[in-house]
Amino acid sequence: MPPRGPPTTTTELAPPPGDPAPPRQPRVAGSLLGKRRVLASAFVGTTIEWYDFFLYGTASALIFSTQFFPQASPLAGTVASFATLAVGIVVRPLGGIIAGHLGDRIGRKSLLVASLLLMGWRRRSSACCPSSPRSAGGRSSG
């Protein structure tokens, strides 16, 4: 029997009928890099989102009760400002469902950019809300 050299025809490249194909080896480096990238993206997104909640919670405790609920008692104003924070935390899973659906339809990168822009717009619009006259240095207009 003569020694076989490299295959020269396509029939020699294909496995014989009934012979299972050899199992493919997973690409460890590519999948590990992809997992790290997904993990880093999820970490950054979650950090930004919880930082936004942290800022809003701090502002709720220190500022919003006097700025947006000046007629209420200090305790009622603080409870009302924390209630707005609680609504945001409770509604978060619904936002995740909607964002997941939209991310699958229009793309996750586009949705990430849109959500970051909405977070910035919300933050700026809450800073531009007019305050009550009572909260402006303790002076009232009446």
Side-chain angles (χ1 to χ4, degrees):
M1 196 185 245
R4 293 185 67 167
T8 56
T9 64
T10 56
T11 56
E12 292 180 23
L13 292 175
D19 190 23
R24 292 183 141 185
Q25 295 294 326
R27 295 189 310 179
V28 176
S31 64
L32 184 60
L33 180 64
K35 287 179 183 178
R36 284 185 180 171
R37 189 174 187 188
V38 167
L39 183 65
S41 299
F43 177 76
V44 168
T46 303
T47 301
I48 290 171
E49 181 180 11
W50 282 106
Y51 182 67
D52 185 51
F53 275 120
F54 171 74
L55 287 178
Y56 195 84
T58 303
S60 294
L62 300 175
I63 301 168
F64 290 167
S65 62
T66 59
Q67 293 290 323
F68 298 116
F69 307 106
Q71 287 79 21
S73 69
L75 177 64
T78 303
V79 169
S81 63
F82 277 126
T84 60
L85 177 67
V87 167
I89 291 174
V90 169
V91 175
R92 186 173 181 249
L94 178 64
I97 291 169
I98 293 171
H101 175 71
L102 290 174
D104 291 341
R105 297 194 94 188
I106 64 172
R108 293 185 179 147
K109 187 175 182 179
S110 301
L111 191 67
L112 174 66
V113 170
S115 67
L116 290 174
L117 287 173
L118 281 173
M119 283 172 38
W121 176 77
R122 183 182 65 90
R123 178 69 55 220
R124 185 184 331 207
S125 65
S126 68
C128 293
C129 287
S131 61
S132 69
R134 181 178 146 209
S135 64
R139 297 182 302 264
S140 66
S141 61

